[in-house]
Amino acid sequence: MPVNKKSKFNRIVTWLHLWLGLVSGIIVFILGITGCIYTFQQEISNVAYKKILFIHPQAKAIGAHVLPISLLKEKAQRVLGKDNPVSYITTYPNTPERSWEFMCYQPGDDKALSLFKSIKTYRSVFVNPHDGSVTGQINYLREFFARDKGSHTSLLLNPKYGEVVTGTATLLFVVLLISGFIMWYPKKWNKKHIDSSFKIKWKAKWKRINYDLHNVLGFYVCIIAFIIACTGLVMSFNWFRGLVYVSASASVTPPDFKTFHSDTTKNYPV
């Protein structure tokens, strides 16, 4: 349909779809690629860091007996150094072939623009829980998947800046999806319009094929892309998280958040 015969609403939708696509397209493309790569993080890491994450059969031959976690923490702390205290511990009591992780995370310059300058220490030591031997360590400031995740969440910028950029780009992408659906919607539900909206004309000229690839495939992935984008908005903006909670729970009262504290003064038989 010629542009001059379009309604004012359709012209506004077309304008938004074009310019929002140009503004957010590059960022959303980066988020998509890095997100796809990070999907396989666990599988690839288990292979790449097999000697660090998993215990050798000979090393766990002593049985399922686990040393006191205080002793394991002490051994990890020696490797990290006194200036890098253990702040997080990940144990695998039901997976005897896994080493336990003792992580030190210390924030850096809060005003730094770069993600890695905003972090002082991000490092883990892995310890065999059966004999206390150190299987290895990983510096996440240089680790591939940590950088990939940083690219996905904040474009390797300080999260206080980067998450606003990625969140805004994702919000624009949602508007882009909605405007694209409006533009795709068949004007008439007859065979001609249905075929042009649901099928790709492979025998047409390349411009038409390119248009159909965008228009038709865009419709088929629209719902999935919309759901994925909304999950990103939940992680980026508190107001959107609250909106989703109110919509899903039909309540404006948040659930009670209970904090539990372990009592280290009690002794239990082993």
Side-chain angles (χ1 to χ4, degrees):
M1 181 180 292
V3 176
N4 58 359
K5 291 186 179 181
K6 284 187 176 182
S7 66
K8 185 177 181 180
F9 174 75
N10 283 335
R11 289 199 299 269
I12 293 174
V13 170
T14 302
W15 183 88
L16 284 173
H17 192 77
L18 173 63
W19 288 103
L20 292 182
L22 290 174
V23 172
S24 65
I26 296 177
I27 296 177
V28 171
F29 178 77
I30 295 173
L31 299 184
I33 293 296
T34 54
C36 287
I37 294 173
Y38 199 77
T39 301
F40 303 97
Q41 178 267 335
Q42 184 173 356
E43 291 80 3
I44 297 175
S45 293
N46 286 346
V47 175
Y49 301 109
K50 184 177 181 180
K51 293 183 179 180
I52 296 177
L53 302 179
F54 294 91
I55 301 167
H56 239 274
Q58 303 95 298
K60 64 175 183 178
I62 56 176
H65 175 70
V66 174
L67 297 175
I69 196 168
S70 57
L71 177 61
L72 300 175
K73 179 182 177 182
E74 181 181 341
K75 290 180 176 293
Q77 190 64 70
R78 292 176 186 172
V79 178
L80 289 170
K82 62 179 181 180
D83 295 329
N84 301 310
V86 173
S87 46
Y88 299 97
I89 301 174
T90 304
T91 64
Y92 300 90
N94 297 322
T95 312
E97 67 271 15
R98 282 295 303 265
S99 57
W100 290 9
E101 181 177 8
F102 296 81
M103 177 189 293
C104 171
Y105 179 87
Q106 297 183 96
D109 184 2
D110 183 57
K111 297 181 180 180
L113 181 62
S114 167
L115 170 65
F116 298 106
K117 288 187 178 180
S118 67
I119 302 174
K120 180 181 178 182
T121 309
Y122 189 14
R123 187 168 143 223
S124 285
V125 171
F126 296 82
V127 180
N128 183 332
H130 307 296
D131 61 12
S133 62
V134 175
T135 60
Q137 56 181 306
I138 298 176
N139 183 356
Y140 290 109
L141 290 177
R142 299 179 180 178
E143 202 266 337
F144 172 78
F145 282 107
R147 291 176 176 266
D148 179 74
K149 183 179 179 181
S151 301
H152 183 74
T153 56
S154 63
L155 300 177
L156 293 181
L157 299 173
N158 187 327
K160 66 187 295 185
Y161 308 126
E163 289 181 1
V164 175
V165 176
T166 57
T168 303
T170 305
L171 182 61
L172 294 178
F173 182 65
V174 170
V175 178
L176 192 70
L177 292 172
I178 296 173
S179 63
F181 180 80
I182 294 173
M183 294 172 62
W184 166 88
Y185 194 83
K187 297 175 178 62
K188 295 180 180 180
W189 287 91
N190 53 30
K191 187 178 186 305
K192 178 182 177 181
H193 287 87
I194 290 176
D195 285 347
S196 63
S197 296
F198 289 94
K199 297 179 181 179
I200 299 174
K201 293 184 177 180
W202 295 107
K203 295 182 180 181
K205 293 182 179 180
W206 72 270
K207 285 186 177 181
R208 178 55 193 246
I209 294 176
N210 181 69
Y211 172 79
D212 282 353
L213 288 172
H214 180 83
N215 189 52
V216 177
L217 295 184
F219 163 73
Y220 286 120
V221 303
C222 182
I223 295 178
I224 298 175
F226 183 81
I227 295 173
I228 293 174
C230 286
T231 59
L233 292 177
V234 169
M235 293 185 287
S236 297
F237 298 115
N238 290 330
W239 63 265
F240 191 85
R241 189 181 305 121
L243 180 64
V244 171
Y245 175 80
V246 171
S247 302
S249 65
S251 172
V252 295
T253 304
D256 293 333
F257 183 79
K258 297 181 180 180
T259 303
F260 299 92
H261 299 281
S262 60
D263 190 348
T264 57
T265 62
K266 292 185 177 181
N267 295 320
Y268 296 91
V270 180

